[in-house]
């Protein structure tokens, strides 16, 4: 187990500087255009792939950093550049994490490389869990997977929604219910290539923020999958279902929640990046904007806002780094540290971007300045991969031991 330290290594400092330059030179100049176009920024993804940022190898290296800080450092810098493009670059990772955390070695070797493609042919992947009637209530999932023993195939039917890269991905990881009576414990994940008959993209959503990231429904109509595309394999699934039927707790828990819990410090890092970006714009503006004969930074009302922003961003980063270190070193989140990091950082991002607009005044409310876009982007952190309300529920259960609902 690596010691928890706030002192970055030289390699980590080099990584941060390299990613900061990429965000400054490649992501930021493209941010406004792709936000307006509301399309996946394929040219930026291609640039990220060429330099090695958009690749299995890069994110694997960050994950295997024994301190756990490789991923949050990388994510913060990319989202400092722009949240929508940052999510376009990192959106594949959620699907990859689900395969790595629940799949067999053979499945990891076969499918994860296909999620990223190559620098000459960039591809993306999608993790599909939410449904029109099953967002926070994962147990209400209606997508069904039925096993056809005679053909060793699974037949999937249902609709998934809010899927990042949904429909445009070459590989989709779809969570479905195999034994509805077991609720969340009767669910499993499946690999679904986009070319599979019966699989299609539904509605593409026009969103408030992160508009450079593609979000859509995916529809499964009698989709037939080989038994080998059940993540983890049928033997492990049967063992887990048997324990659930007997009332025993599965070691892996719910497959969607296991993926989300592992990713929560990463979402916190996204929020820290956006908050920091808005804070820096506000500081620069307050330093140069003059009213009543002096920079507005010299007014306590403005300076105190900036002080609070700086304090909350640092506190959010510390929570994220702690949770990331714990996750990497397999220290259990007994006090819901993962949820704490995601909840606090996401709400700091919303508050910081809102205050940045206030400091910029009317200018902040226009698209001539980036804080308007950052504020639209920040709101998603309190919603996706577990709403703020769900995070508070998780933390409250850990703190009180009560069966809260």
């Amino acid at each position: 187990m690596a010691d928890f330290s706030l002192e970055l290594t030289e390699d980590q400092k080099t990584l941060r500087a390299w990613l900061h330059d990429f965000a400054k030179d490649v992501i930021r100049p493209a941010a406004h255009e792709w936000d307006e176009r509301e399309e996946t920024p394929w040219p930026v993804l291609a640039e990220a792939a060429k330099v090695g940022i958009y690749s299995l190898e890069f994110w694997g290296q960050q994950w295997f950093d024994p301190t756990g800080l490789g991923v949050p450092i990388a994510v913060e810098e990319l989202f400092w550049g722009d949240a929508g493009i940052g999510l376009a670059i990192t959106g594949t990772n959620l699907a990859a994490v689900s395969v790595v955390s629940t799949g067999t070695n053979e499945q990891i070797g076969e499918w994860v490389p296909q999620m990223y493609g190559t620098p000459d042919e960039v591809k993306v992947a999608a993790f599909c869990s939410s449904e029109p009637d099953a967002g926070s209530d994962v147990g209400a999932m209606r997508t069904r997977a039925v096993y056809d023993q005679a053909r060793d195939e699974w037949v999937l039917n249902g609709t998934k929604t809010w899927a990042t890269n949904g429909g445009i991905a070459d590989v989709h990881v779809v969570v479905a219910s195999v034994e509805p009576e077991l609720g969340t414990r009767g669910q499993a994940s499946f690999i679904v290539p986009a070319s599979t008959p019966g699989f299609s993209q539904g509605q593409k959503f026009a969103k408030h923020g992160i508009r450079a990231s593609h979000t859509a429904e995916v529809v499964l109509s009698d989709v037939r999958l080989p038994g080998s595309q059940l993540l983890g394999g049928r033997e492990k699934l049967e063992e887990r279902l048997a324990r659930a039927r007997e009332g025993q707790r599965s070691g892996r828990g719910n497959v969607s929640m296991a993926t989300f819990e592992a990713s929560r410090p990463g979402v916190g890092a996204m929020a820290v990046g956006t908050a920091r970006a808005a804070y820096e714009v506000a500081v620069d503006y307050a330093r140069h904007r003059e009213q009543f004969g002096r920079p507005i930074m010299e007014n306590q009302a403005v300076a105190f806002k900036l002080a609070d922003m700086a304090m909350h961003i640092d506190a959010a980063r510390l929570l994220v780094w702690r949770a990331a270190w714990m996750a990497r070193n397999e220290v259990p989140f007994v006090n819901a540290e993962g949820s704490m990091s995601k909840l606090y950082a996401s709400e700091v991002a919303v508050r910081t971007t809102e205050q940045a607009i206030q400091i910029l005044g009317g200018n902040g409310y226009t698209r001539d300045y980036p804080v308007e876009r950052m504020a639209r982007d920040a709101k998603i952190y309190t919603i996706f991969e577990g709403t703020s309300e769900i995070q508070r529920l998780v933390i409250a259960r850990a703190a009180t031991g009560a069966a809260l609902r």
Side-chain angles (χ1 to χ4, degrees), residues 163-237:
T164 298
N165 297 330
I168 66 169
D170 282 79
V171 179
H172 297 72
V173 177
V174 176
V175 183
S177 177
V178 295
E179 285 202 25
E181 60 273 17
L182 294 178
T184 59
R185 298 167 74 184
Q187 296 171 359
S189 293
F190 299 84
I191 294 286
V192 184
S195 59
T196 306
F199 181 86
S200 63
Q201 178 182 311
Q203 176 187 2
K204 176 188 174 182
F205 295 104
K207 304 191 300 295
H208 176 64
I210 54 166
R211 301 197 305 190
S213 172
H214 175 95
T215 310
E217 291 181 332
V218 295
V219 181
L220 303 101
S221 180
D222 288 331
V223 169
R224 283 188 166 269
L225 303 173
S228 61
Q229 287 171 217
L230 164 66
L231 279 185
R234 189 154 182 261
E235 183 177 344
K236 285 189 176 180
L237 173 64

Side-chain angles (χ1 to χ4, degrees), residues 13 15-16 32 56 63 67 72-73 86 88 102 135 178 224 227 235 247 268 291 296 317 328 336 342 351 360 401:
K13 291 176 183 177
L15 170 71
R16 183 173 62 182
H32 177 76
L56 170 64
W63 172 251
T67 70
I73 289 170
T102 62
V178 295
R224 283 188 166 269
E235 183 177 344
Q291 289 288 279
I296 63 173
R317 184 183 295 109
R328 178 64 186 89
K342 197 266 189 187
R351 186 164 58 247
L360 271 66

